[in-house]
Amino acid sequence: MAFTTTTGTGGTSLIGTSGVDTASLTTSTLTQGVFIGAQGDADVVNVGGGTASSYKVYGGAVNDIVNFTAALSASTVQGNDGNDTLTFAAVTNSTISGLAGTDAITIAGAISGSLVNGNDADDTFAINGNVATSTIAGGQGNDTITIGAVAYTSGRINGQEGNDTITVGVLTAAMSGATVFGGNGSDVINANASGANGGVTLSGDLGGDLLTGGTGADSIYGGEGVDTIFGGTNGDTMVGGSGVDTFITNNRGINAAIATGASIGTANFVYASAAGDLRFDVITDFAAGSGGDLIDAEFANQVTVASSATVVTGSTNFAISGTYTAATGTFAPSTTTTGGPDTLILSSGAGAGLIIGTAGTVLLGINASQVVAANFA
């Protein structure tokens, strides 16, 4: 069946019937000011051509399909009830809402100045174009949000309610003014594929979250709950928030090898890596001591609290007291185990000293004497 079409001074309206309705429109004849209202059955709306401006499209009570191969501008699209499929070529200054039902929303091209919201139920999002000044919101339910190979500026992705899975693909540039939020629930946010141009900002928010950065210099916030944070392969800034959090640190390099039997010394540790990484991982709010946060290091339940005078032995985690300077990425060991405001965590290999490629993480504002074996998982 077809939609009932009415044309007046205010534009063109297409109203569905109680059956399955199909409308195939083109912007060459209907450029703007179009209202489409589906009704009782599974309806199909296709809009092609150049730019569709000031469109208002409302799905009906069942599983509707809305497909814009035309660019959408200054428009509103709502799936309403049912499990709807909403597909767009590009979106500017528009609002897209799945509303009730398990919806699938795909945007192939760029999205700018817009809101995309799944609303109720377990929705799926595929965003495959550049994103600017826009919000992608999961709404209620356990949503799956996938961001493809894009540049993402001045916006946010928010899983909102439910246990959401958010994946950030290869970024063509570092995130600028943009943050990925998990929202309430136990969320999984994975930016492992973001690439060398990455530099993502991730926030787990409320709940026990699993957060994974990429190969850029990331900023990762656990929020409330028992979180697991993996910074990735570059120097990352990590904030656990409240709860007993676990930090997984990637391998790091230092500027010189220190053999077993030699003392750590007072020379600055400088981050060094053949991969071009810039600095150590930094944890800004590590809770040291028994019952505190955890570092998933090479040797569980082992630590040697160290100063510049400490002799290096194999197969242990060293908590070295000293001072970290972020501007230069250097760590200066203290002459005493209580003499520095910060701590550098390094692990020595089995039967080896502190060598290029050993793990290295800075704990800001934590003196090495506060770190205990129970902080290592």
Side-chain angles (χ1 to χ4, degrees):
M1 301 177 68
F3 286 82
T4 300
T5 304
T6 302
T7 302
T9 56
T12 301
S13 296
L14 289 82
I15 305 300
T17 68
S18 59
V20 177
D21 303 304
T22 300
S24 294
L25 313 178
T26 177
T27 58
S28 62
T29 56
L30 294 173
T31 303
Q32 61 183 357
V34 177
F35 176 90
I36 303 173
Q39 298 294 318
D41 215 324
D43 301 317
V44 178
V45 176
N46 294 300
V47 181
T51 299
S53 181
S54 300
Y55 270 59
K56 297 183 183 296
V57 180
Y58 299 92
V62 194
N63 305 331
D64 303 307
I65 297 174
V66 177
N67 180 29
F68 274 81
T69 56
L72 188 71
S73 176
S75 298
T76 299
V77 177
Q78 294 184 358
N80 289 334
D81 294 337
N83 304 326
D84 305 306
T85 301
L86 312 177
T87 306
F88 305 90
V91 178
T92 303
N93 299 329
S94 297
T95 300
I96 299 167
S97 303
L99 296 180
T102 301
D103 306 307
I105 301 174
T106 300
I107 301 176
I111 173 173
S112 175
S114 298
L115 169 64
V116 181
N117 196 336
N119 300 112
D120 296 336
D122 303 340
D123 304 307
T124 301
F125 302 76
I127 311 298
N128 296 314
N130 291 342
V131 181
T133 323
S134 298
T135 296
I136 314 297
Q140 297 179 2
N142 303 327
D143 305 304
T144 301
I145 302 174
T146 302
I147 307 298
V150 302
Y152 200 111
T153 57
S154 301
R156 62 175 56 195
I157 304 167
N158 196 329
Q160 296 187 321
E161 305 292 332
N163 303 326
D164 306 306
T165 300
I166 303 174
T167 303
V168 179
V170 177
L171 296 175
T172 57
M175 280 188 172
S176 175
T179 301
V180 181
F181 297 92
N184 294 346
S186 298
D187 307 304
V188 176
I189 304 178
N190 188 350
N192 182 54
S194 57
N197 291 322
V200 299
T201 302
L202 312 179
S203 179
D205 297 332
L206 182 63
D209 307 304
L210 173 59
L211 311 174
T212 303
T215 56
D218 307 313
S219 297
I220 306 178
Y221 305 86
E224 296 183 44
V226 179
D227 306 305
T228 299
I229 300 175
F230 176 29
T233 57
N234 206 323
D236 307 299
T237 299
M238 296 177 282
V239 183
S242 63
V244 177
D245 304 307
T246 298
F247 298 90
I248 302 173
T249 59
N250 202 61
N251 283 342
R252 289 287 179 256
I254 57 176
N255 62 318
I258 303 174
T260 300
S263 62
I264 287 174
T266 58
N268 286 352
F269 289 137
V270 180
Y271 184 81
S273 170
D277 297 343
L278 300 177
R279 56 192 173 92
F280 295 108
D281 282 339
V282 176
I283 302 173
T284 66
D285 68 337
F286 190 82
S290 180
D293 293 331
L294 302 173
I295 295 177
D296 188 354
E298 186 172 358
F299 306 103
N301 298 312
Q302 293 186 43
V303 65
T304 297
V305 177
S307 68
S308 61
T310 301
V311 173
V312 173
T313 57
S315 303
T316 189
N317 307 306
F318 288 88
I320 305 170
S321 179
T323 302
Y324 177 67
T325 303
T328 58
T330 58
F331 185 90
S334 170
T335 56
T336 68
T337 58
T338 59
D342 308 313
T343 295
L344 176 63
I345 304 298
L346 290 173
S347 297
S348 62
L354 296 175
I355 58 175
I356 299 297
T358 59
T361 302
V362 173
L363 310 182
L364 284 186
I366 295 295
N367 185 270
S369 63
Q370 300 172 260
V371 180
V372 298
N375 290 130
F376 294 89

